[in-house]
Amino acid sequence: MQRIHTIDSHTGGEPTRIVIEGGPDLGQGPLRDRVRRFREQHDHVRAAIINEPRGSDVLVGGLIVPPHQTDCDIGVIFFNNTGYLSMCGHGTIGLMVTLAWQNRISAGICRIDTPVGVVEAELLDHHTVRLQNVPSWRYRTGVVVDVPGHGPVTGDIAWGGNWFFLVGDHGQNLSAGNSAALTAFGLRIRAALEAADITGANNELIDHIEMFGAPQHADSSCRNFVLCPGGAWDRSPCGTGTSARLACLAADNRLQPGETWHQESIIGSVFAGSWQPSEDTAEHAQGPVIIPSITGSAWVTAENHLLLDETDPFRYGLPTG
Ligand code: PYC
């Protein structure tokens, strides 16, 4: 019987399952290489943790690993129902609150190694975390993609730790009650981008679609809907998606360094975002390279010992796809 100790939390409604013990040993080396090892040698463990009958499509997992960068406190690899995430903002907030709940950290800054660079997370109180994300930037603006059955859709392509296609002019109702239609439309946009060979820099796949519009709460700046790579929608305002949006706002001179932006999800949960100029450069950036800062709150919801019984035909989760 294989046992995996996990702790669940939600950040603005979006769940995270952190593996505390019993996850795969991915060895040493840069986290990018360890993701490859996870995918090639232990993908069944990812599926067992995330997929039904123990998990669900919306769940994001996080495996704590020893950092490769010597100035980091820990490393983390995030994964979901279909694969691996380069970075995850809500998951990092969930990770910090989980570590605080276990009394493994107290107030202060934690440097976290990820497959796409180092992030800094500061525990402000037992539930609130400020995350300084990886350098983020807008790659292309005003990109038009023809979505079959709909027509042309215009958006920006930006990096916020994952690749995003951000659309303002979508004509959709950004409400939780409309999530099925938003998901269907987001999937069609993503398929159209792929069919048209529209990618992020270095031909990287754009696997997140973000639609944004007017907020419903007076204190918010904007509302968004984010479609994640596995087809689930982010219940939180999406940390990497908010970072990508901040990069676009900075590029359009619509948000100044240090100014606060309140990003609201379709369930009304809010992240506070701001940015500072980065010293990094990005060869094809259309606008400044920024360091986004994202503040959000998480709560621990469960502590589990997942049991993988070798006689269970579905011990590695139900088949997907
Ligand atoms: O918060 O960055 C995020 C995120 C990515 C996918 C789901 N959440």
Side-chain angles (χ1 to χ4, degrees), residues 96 106-108 121-131 295-296:
M96 289 291 287
S106 48
E122 182 175 6
L123 187 68
L124 302 178
D125 62 40
H126 253 63
H127 296 290
T128 313
V129 174
R130 181 167 47 226
L131 159 72
T295 303

Side-chain angles (χ1 to χ4, degrees), residues 27-318:
Q28 301 297 315
L31 267 63
R32 217 177 253 280
D33 295 348
R34 285 189 246 175
V35 171
R36 202 179 52 242
R37 235 168 275 151
F38 202 165
R39 182 183 291 115
E40 289 173 0
Q41 297 169 20
H42 306 279
D43 199 53
H44 54 290
V45 182
R46 174 196 60 76
I49 294 167
I50 292 296
N51 292 343
E52 293 181 33
R54 297 180 193 83
S56 77
D57 281 355
V58 73
L59 192 56
V60 169
L63 177 69
I64 299 172
V65 297
H68 178 64
Q69 298 294 337
T70 49
D71 58 352
C72 283
D73 302 293
I74 56 169
V76 65
I77 293 171
F78 290 110
F79 47 97
N80 69 2
N81 53 337
T82 50
Y84 300 84
L85 291 164
S86 306
M87 225 314 271
C88 183
H90 94 266
T92 305
I93 294 169
L95 168 66
M96 289 291 287
V97 167
T98 296
L99 294 175
W101 189 76
Q102 287 195 302
N103 289 320
R104 285 169 68 177
I105 56 167
S106 48
I109 292 178
C110 190
R111 282 177 62 80
I112 305 173
D113 200 2
T114 82
V116 287
V118 175
V119 303
E120 274 188 10
E122 182 175 6
L123 187 68
L124 302 178
D125 62 40
H126 253 63
H127 296 290
T128 313
V129 174
R130 181 167 47 226
L131 159 72
Q132 212 174 74
N133 196 6
V134 293
S136 300
W137 47 285
R138 182 166 73 182
Y139 172 51
R140 289 173 66 190
T141 185
V143 176
V144 181
V145 61
D146 192 36
V147 178
H150 177 86
V153 171
T154 305
D156 285 1
I157 301 171
W159 171 255
N162 293 298
W163 281 109
F164 287 82
F165 190 67
L166 299 105
V167 183
D169 188 11
H170 43 72
Q172 304 290 313
N173 170 10
L174 296 182
S175 69
N178 197 37
S179 63
L182 289 164
T183 299
F185 189 49
L187 287 169
R188 283 163 66 200
I189 296 176
R190 200 168 66 197
L193 290 170
E194 221 177 318
D197 218 8
I198 297 172
T199 66
N202 305 314
N203 288 325
E204 287 180 35
L205 183 74
I206 300 170
D207 54 5
H208 289 73
I209 306 296
E210 179 165 348
M211 292 174 231
F212 58 87
Q216 283 189 5
H217 296 288
D219 293 344
S220 295
S221 320
C222 180
R223 166 167 281 228
N224 73 6
F225 167 89
V226 173
L227 178 73
C228 300
W233 56 275
D234 197 333
R235 275 64 172 161
S236 84
C238 191
T240 52
T242 300
S243 300
R245 179 89 173 104
L246 293 174
C248 294
L249 290 163
D252 289 333
N253 210 19
R254 287 186 49 207
L255 191 75
Q256 302 312 307
E259 217 180 306
T260 303
W261 180 264
H262 290 106
Q263 184 75 49
E264 161 189 298
S265 72
I266 60 166
I267 62 162
S269 53
V270 177
F271 285 166
S274 63
W275 67 275
Q276 294 295 336
S278 169
E279 285 172 6
D280 283 34
T281 54
E283 202 185 340
H284 300 291
Q286 290 194 350
V289 180
I290 66 162
I291 299 291
S293 168
I294 307 289
T295 303
S297 301
W299 281 265
V300 168
T301 54
E303 183 158 8
N304 319 291
H305 287 92
L306 309 181
L307 304 177
L308 280 61
D309 184 330
E310 62 186 18
T311 65
D312 176 358
F314 295 122
R315 63 187 176 284
Y316 295 128
L318 304 193

